[in-house]
Amino acid sequence: MLNKISELVSRSLLAFSAFLAFLLSFLVVADVVGRVVFNSPVKGTPEIVSMSIVIICFLQASYAIRSGGMLRVDAFLNALPFRARETMAAVGCVLGILFFAVIVYGGIDPLLHAWNSNEYEGEGALRVPSWPARAAVILGCGLAVLEYVLSGLIHIKAALGKTPPPEGAAL
């Protein structure tokens, strides 16, 4: 059940991120055309783009882990026997859990500060609040931890010989 919910959430965030990137491309084109043709760029474009890129990247992390899209050295892993490969995959999942959990832990105070102090990026005509990007980092990393836990359990079961891992299971 948790696996299906996690898949639905990760796919939904992937779709949202793709839609946000699609909208962002129109903003950048409008900014360039406004700058070149009318000598008047769209105000706040650099701030919006920088915040949106952070949001896009971190909201896609859980899907990248679920789909097996994270980096790994296949040449090394393919040389190992099955159980050693699954053990290494489980160790990789534990390291992923630790990495993303540290980001979540370290990002909570800055998020609360950004929310409470109305922290903004940019000066002048358009000021973009920074809390949505900070919240996206925490949400994306929290979901990445969940994906690594689910994937790690699959690899531990496979290493113990209880079940074979599904094709394309993440490292």
Side-chain angles (χ1 to χ4, degrees):
M1 178 71 166
L2 181 61
N3 196 29
K4 289 190 183 271
I5 292 171
S6 176
E7 181 175 4
L8 176 66
V9 170
S10 67
R11 285 182 184 271
S12 298
L13 291 176
L14 176 69
F16 175 75
S17 297
F19 182 68
L20 184 59
F22 180 70
L23 292 179
L24 202 59
S25 67
F26 287 107
L27 176 64
V28 171
V29 168
D31 183 60
V32 170
V33 169
R35 185 179 308 270
V36 172
V37 176
F38 303 111
N39 200 21
S40 178
V42 177
K43 300 205 183 316
T45 299
E47 291 84 6
I48 293 171
V49 168
S50 66
M51 291 290 186
S52 296
I53 289 173
V54 170
I55 292 169
I56 290 167
C57 288
F58 279 94
L59 290 185
Q60 291 182 11
S62 64
Y63 184 79
I65 295 164
R66 173 171 281 284
S67 66
M70 299 302 274
L71 293 176
R72 64 178 177 223
V73 183
D74 288 335
F76 173 72
L77 289 175
N78 290 340
L80 296 175
F82 175 76
R83 286 193 174 185
R85 191 174 351 157
E86 293 303 313
T87 302
M88 290 295 292
V91 169
C93 290
V94 169
L95 293 175
I97 290 167
L98 292 174
F99 177 76
F100 284 107
V102 166
I103 294 174
V104 169
Y105 178 76
I108 291 173
D109 282 341
L111 170 63
L112 294 175
H113 177 268
W115 178 266
N116 292 327
S117 67
N118 290 327
E119 182 179 272
Y120 286 90
E121 285 287 322
E123 296 294 327
L126 183 67
R127 294 174 33 174
V128 179
S130 62
W131 69 264
R134 294 184 186 278
V137 169
I138 291 176
L139 174 65
C141 290
L143 291 171
V145 167
L146 176 63
E147 289 297 335
Y148 272 127
V149 167
L150 295 173
S151 181
L153 292 173
I154 290 169
H155 289 297
I156 289 171
K157 285 180 183 178
L160 295 175
K162 297 189 179 189
T163 59
E167 191 63 33
L171 169 65

